[in-house]
Amino acid sequence: IAPTFGNEHWPGVESYNNGSVWTEDAELRDRAYWSYQAVVVLAQQLRDTGIVGSQPLYLFGHSAGGQFVHRLVSTLGADGFAGVVAGNPGWYTLPNATLTFPEGLSGIGLPADALERLLATPLVILAGDQDTDTLDPNLPAEPAALRQGSHRFARARHYFAAGQTAAAQLGMPLAWQLHEVAGIGHDGEAMSHVCAHWWFEGRMPDAAWLAQWSGRTTA
């Protein structure tokens, strides 16, 4: 099931990547109208109508979709999903309760335990170790993103390290996983296959398989 967020109704990064959390006037929008709710509502509709029965639902997003997915988990939680994977996001909402969203979790009315809930969520980050293009015109380049690193691979490492630090400060284990995917760049098709291996084969693909997908770029 592949929900699409077309430009006609979801223009720009604010309405999709950043979830329509803020209005054009920088006012906080009612959370019922955050874009992330669309996926949560869709999942419930699939259950209610019987299209999906008792089988588990998994959630995967790549690139802008990876931004969307990890911010969904950061703000609304992961209830109802058996697994959540973000592949090669351009930048991240940090597990920090003092930085304003989307750089951090502050200012949007999240519950007091939102940070602990996020750190306890088994979120998986897939980061292609060749996703290192610093001149990609689609690479977010706002100051908050650049503070996380010069390219997507560096930013994935920065995000995971921030999670480790936040969990240590709270005296709790970090449930996240970071998998650095050898030879893979900014390739959504390859990452979707890697994700499927992880979920349904119970392992990461081997080196020979990954070599077939190396050197490509497709969002």
Side-chain angles (χ1 to χ4, degrees):
I1 300 169
T4 58
F5 291 78
N7 288 332
E8 180 182 357
H9 299 293
W10 310 88
V13 298
E14 290 303 322
S15 64
Y16 176 59
N17 308 31
N18 295 347
S20 290
V21 170
W22 301 106
T23 69
E24 293 181 357
D25 298 324
E27 297 292 333
L28 181 62
R29 184 173 277 116
D30 188 302
R31 65 185 293 149
Y33 297 99
W34 295 358
S35 303
Y36 311 126
Q37 294 281 9
V39 171
V40 176
V41 171
L42 173 60
Q44 189 59 51
Q45 289 175 338
L46 293 169
R47 297 283 192 204
D48 292 344
T49 57
I51 295 173
V52 173
S54 60
Q55 66 265 47
L57 282 175
Y58 297 83
L59 182 62
F60 168 77
H62 180 262
S63 193
Q67 291 186 52
F68 184 96
V69 163
H70 96 275
R71 291 193 176 106
L72 184 160
V73 171
S74 300
T75 57
L76 303 181
D79 291 348
F81 295 105
V84 179
V85 170
N88 291 333
W91 73 298
Y92 296 82
T93 291
L94 297 174
N96 185 308
T98 64
L99 296 173
T100 302
F101 187 88
E103 185 176 8
L105 300 173
S106 178
I108 58 173
L110 296 181
D113 66 346
L115 178 56
E116 291 90 338
R117 181 186 63 186
L118 172 59
L119 298 172
T121 298
L123 172 66
V124 175
I125 303 296
L126 296 179
D129 71 357
Q130 299 305 300
D131 198 354
T132 56
D133 184 357
T134 60
L135 301 178
D136 180 353
N138 294 314
L139 178 69
E142 57 264 51
L146 292 173
R147 284 193 287 270
Q148 298 178 13
S150 60
H151 47 67
R152 295 184 184 90
F153 183 58
R155 294 173 189 180
R157 287 182 157 185
H158 182 274
Y159 179 64
F160 189 72
Q164 291 176 313
T165 298
Q169 289 173 343
L170 292 171
M172 62 180 291
L174 179 66
W176 304 353
Q177 296 183 51
L178 170 65
H179 293 283
E180 299 179 0
V181 187
I184 302 300
H186 200 64
D187 187 339
E189 185 178 0
M191 275 303 193
S192 68
H193 285 291
V194 172
C195 182
H197 267 79
W198 172 250
W199 279 336
F200 306 122
E201 301 291 338
R203 58 182 174 81
M204 296 293 287
D206 60 27
W209 188 96
L210 290 173
Q212 301 176 47
W213 296 85
S214 64
R216 303 182 350 146
T217 299
T218 172

